[in-house]
């Protein structure tokens, strides 16, 4: 049983480690060039059969879109799409922060952010970024999921139920609709199906908030 639990933690950590950089890093100027190159060379169907938690029927089309989106490498279209979806300037069609969806005013640093910040403080988890970056950014939260697998596995389910799974699947649906580039559309779909697969695998009951966006 302990070995199976460790294998599950390794698989969840792999998911976070693999996907988080794509939400956090500019394809051209960020630190994830190796990740983009690795995905560009994938055999999508073979990768889907090995991808954890998501059904192959969901992961295969998503991975194909991601590989297709990288067929010509890191193009200007890919870079502009990243900046349009995650950075700005201007209106973000699907902002990557949880409080935008769960706060009545649809603002960053809302109740979702403050609740996560308090949870991190209670569990001795240090901030990974400066004070100007909300903790409830999807990329940071995927990275935190991996961190908990390695350092505080007993806290993982509480984190998933109380913070990540409450809003991330909803946001990822919005992102899949907003994304025009196949890479980011596939990323949204793969991340969503994987997180829901983790929820199902762990048998987690998640109370969804009211969504204002």
């Amino acid at each position: 049983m302990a070995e199976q639990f460790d294998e599950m933690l390794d698989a969840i950590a792999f998911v976070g480690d693999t996907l988080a950089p794509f939400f956090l890093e500019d394809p051209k100027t960020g630190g994830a060039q190796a990740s983009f190159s690795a995905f560009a060379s994938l055999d999508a169907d073979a990768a889907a059969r090995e991808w954890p938690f998501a059904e192959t029927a969901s992961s295969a089309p998503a991975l194909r879109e991601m590989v297709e989106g990288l067929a010509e490498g890191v193009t200007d279209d890919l870079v502009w799409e990243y900046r349009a979806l995650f950075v700005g300037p201007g209106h973000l069609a699907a902002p990557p922060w949880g409080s935008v969806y769960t706060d009545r005013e649809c603002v960053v640093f809302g109740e979702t952010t403050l609740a996560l910040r308090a949870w991190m403080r209670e569990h001795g988890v240090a901030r990974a970024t400066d004070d100007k970056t909300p903790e409830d950014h999807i990329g940071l939260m995927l990275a935190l999921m991996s961190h908990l697998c390695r350092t505080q596995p007993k806290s993982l389910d509480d984190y998933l139920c109380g913070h990540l799974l409450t809003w991330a699947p909803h946001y990822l649906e919005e992102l899949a609709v907003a994304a025009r580039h196949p890479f980011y559309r596939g990323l949204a779909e793969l991340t969503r199906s994987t997180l829901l697969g983790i929820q199902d695998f762990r048998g987690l009951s998640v109370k969804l908030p009211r969504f204002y966006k």
Side-chain angles (χ1 to χ4, degrees):
M1 288 295 292
E3 182 178 350
Q4 290 178 338
F5 185 69
D6 288 343
E7 289 177 354
M8 178 207 67
L9 291 175
D10 287 343
I12 295 176
F14 165 80
V15 167
D17 289 342
T18 302
L19 299 179
F22 295 129
F23 291 98
L24 290 169
E25 301 287 353
D26 185 293
K28 189 173 185 178
T29 62
Q33 287 92 343
S35 296
F36 282 98
S37 296
F39 258 74
S41 63
L42 280 182
D43 178 327
D45 290 330
R49 290 192 290 272
E50 299 296 326
W51 187 263
F53 304 111
E55 296 289 338
T56 303
S58 299
S59 61
L63 283 161
R64 287 189 209 114
E65 283 200 295
M66 294 176 73
V67 173
E68 174 193 341
L70 296 173
E72 297 181 9
V74 175
T75 63
D76 287 343
D77 285 346
L78 181 72
V79 173
W80 282 112
E81 177 78 342
Y82 174 82
R83 295 172 185 175
L85 291 172
F86 301 105
V87 182
H91 172 75
L92 300 182
W97 303 283
S99 65
V100 174
Y101 301 91
T102 60
D103 192 283
R104 184 182 299 273
E105 302 301 323
C106 300
V107 294
V108 295
F109 288 110
E111 291 183 8
T112 300
T113 317
L114 299 178
L116 176 59
R117 180 176 294 179
W119 188 92
M120 291 171 63
R121 188 181 304 114
E122 179 184 347
H123 289 79
V125 178
R127 287 175 54 87
T129 58
D130 58 72
D131 290 340
K132 297 180 181 179
T133 303
E135 289 90 337
D136 59 342
H137 183 289
I138 183 64
L140 293 176
M141 293 191 72
L142 289 170
L144 177 53
M145 179 178 73
S146 297
H147 176 74
L148 293 173
C149 286
R150 298 188 176 98
T151 62
Q152 298 188 39
K154 292 182 180 179
S155 301
L156 178 64
D157 286 353
D158 185 49
Y159 170 71
L160 293 172
C161 288
H163 299 280
L164 181 57
L165 292 175
T166 53
W167 71 278
H170 172 80
Y171 154 70
L172 292 162
E173 277 190 320
E174 297 291 310
L175 180 62
V177 172
R180 297 182 179 181
H181 195 285
F183 178 81
Y184 289 107
R185 187 164 56 246
L187 175 64
E189 293 165 349
L190 179 65
T191 307
R192 183 176 186 275
S193 62
T194 305
L195 288 179
L196 291 176
I198 292 171
Q199 177 181 340
D200 184 62
F201 189 87
R202 296 293 300 147
L204 302 177
S205 178
V206 179
K207 183 178 180 180
L208 297 179
R210 177 177 177 180
F211 294 115
Y212 295 92
K213 177 175 171 59

